[in-house]
Each structure stands twice: as structure tokens, then as C-alpha cells.
Amino acid sequence: MGRADAVEDALLDILGREGLVTGQAVAAYSLGGLVPRAVARPCTVEQVQGVLGLAHREGLAVVPWGGGTMMGLGPPPRRYDIALDMRRLDRVLEHEPADLTCTVQAGMTVAALLSHLAGSGQSVGLDPPLPQEATVGGTLAAAVAGPRRYSCGHPRDFTIGMRVVLADGRLTRAGGRVVKNVAGYDLCKLYIGSMGTLGVVVEATFKLLPLPRTTGSLRFAFARPEAAYQVSREVWRRGLSVTAMWLQWERGPYVLFLELGGSPAAVARSEAEARELAAAAGGTPIDDAASRWQEAMASPAGGDALAIRLSLVPSRLPEALRRLEGLGPRLAVAFPTIGSAYVCWSPTADARSVAGQAFRVAQALEGVAVVHAWPSLS
């Protein structure tokens, strides 16, 4: 029996036939031109430990896999032996509505979690670009924060506990299942954004928020990003009942999107004030602007276009957007009060040249630029 057969038999012992994928089906998990030998689909934490422990002993390279919506981030792996598909760990383990806490397995999709919480009139601040596919664990590993970061904060702010399996199969715990927990180091903040390099998230506990009684949305078009930025800052300064905010450019005017939520009176007042602020800055209310922030932020494996993420002082974001216009992007989505933006180009763009120029723009404005998605054939 060869080594490959021995490893497959060991995986079968750990996972059972339903938990192991081999043969042509593994091509769906290809990454950077590499195809794994096998796909492990554990349904318990113990099985995750078993797979990682086996890989550690045999010197095998493992890539954790959730919904696949952010697998395009970062450089491709140098070796790739086992894909660890976490989507069978998809249960709500504990939900305490009175305490505003919830503990779930990492393979649960964000959409399923939000649907479950909505039954109790609650929500959590997770808002990845493709919630029907993105898993809780993958969202935390990639540190994805969309427009709701304006009101909910970053996932590091409302994740209060995690269980993580390390590369050698050991199970560790960080934080806890109650909000007031100050014992030990806050390792949750370390694991969130680690891209699976420090361990595999198998469980997470969150602080919850009540769903707003009333919601609304506004969209304003501006000729220049500076005006839109000033409106966003004033909306933030006044504390209007805004739950999400983003600025979008698609070879036309800059469109400021505002999502509102709260009591009926608060939403009505906030809508009126936001309209006044936008009008004073030269903004025009519009109804037909389609939201594209999810398209800008998604980074699936095997993408065909370049996307750059910029982070800089919020006041310099308008200048960065204006400079990047000259590089011919097809879409830009920015979070003006945060100071971050995702800028995307068409597949026909010269990725190396454009990326180099975008990096120089960020450097000139004392910001940081990173490749969010890279054409698979470049």
C-alpha cells in the first residue's frame, strides 16, 4: 500500500465515506492552479481535530474552505494536499435572546444565522458580500466587514468567544459565551483576519443587536467625491440613525448610499436631515442606482479581474478616488467614515501596471494598498 492510499484510509477512518471526497470531484476546490488530493468534510469538532492531527503527522498541507467567497485573497498556496470543507458544521449551539448572545458552528452560512436570529428580533453585525454562501468561520478568518461596519463595528468588536483547532489537532478556546469576560488574552482578535494560518475556527460566540423597528434607504448622486465625503462626515457627527453607509462610483457620478434603522420617529428625522445635508452639498436624490458593494468586495478563487483594497485616513479618501479614476477602473466602492475602498478593473486591464500605479497612489497619500483579487491567468 502506498503512502497516498494509507492517508486516504486514515481519512476514511476519521470521516467515514460521506465525509471524504476524492477523484474528479476535488477539482471544485482547485486554488491557484493546484488541486488537492482529497477533500475532508468533517461534521464534528473531533473530526476536524483528527484531520489536522493526521496532516500534522504526515506533513500534509491543509487549506480550510468555507463558502469559497474569499479564497482569492492572498497568494496561492505552494502545496495543497487536503481541502478542509467546514460546511457540515452548521448548527446553532446556543442562543440566549435575553442575554443577547449566540454561539454557532463555523460552517453555518451568515444568511442562515441572520435568519435564525431574526426569529427573535435580533441580528449580528456580520455582512460579507455573499451571505448565502459565506460561512461564519470564513468571514471571521478573512475579517470581512461590509457597510454595516458603520453602525456595528468590525467583527473583532462583537466576537466574544471562539474555539479553534490548531495545526496539530489541539482544540483551544478564546474568550467565552458571556459579554463581560475579561479573563486572559483576547485571542479572538488575533484569530480574526488570520486567514486560517493560525488554526481553524470551529465555533464562535457573538454579541447580538436588536433588529430596528423601522428601516429606510436613501441614495444621493454627487459630481465629486469631496461633497459626498462631507455629507457622510456630517451624518456621522450628528448621530443620525444610519445602519450602513457606502460610496459607489461606476464611471459616472458618485452615489452615496444610506441605510437607516431605528424607531419610526428617529428614522423620519434622520431621513429629513440627510436630505437637507445632501441638498446643501449639491447632491441629487436618485432611485435607480443599483448597489454593487457585494461585487466589489467578493474575492472567489479563479477570478478574472483585478481588485485593490485601500486603507488610509478618511479625509484623504476623496483624493485617492479621484486619482484612481485616471487608471480606468470599472467600479469603486468606499466606506467614507472608515477610510477604506475597493477598486475593481475589467479583465482586459494590465493588472501589473495598474496595481503598481494604484500602490503608488496609496503611498503618496500615506495609505496602504493590498491586492484583494488578482486575475487567475495573469
Side-chain angles (χ1 to χ4, degrees), residues 305-316:
L306 171 70
I308 301 290
R309 177 170 61 85
L310 287 88
S311 299
L312 63 169
V313 174
S315 61
R316 294 186 172 179

Side-chain angles (χ1 to χ4, degrees), residues 156-168:
R156 291 187 176 96
D157 300 324
F158 52 81
T159 304
I160 59 176
M162 300 173 76
R163 289 212 299 169
V164 177
V165 178
L166 303 182
D168 59 2

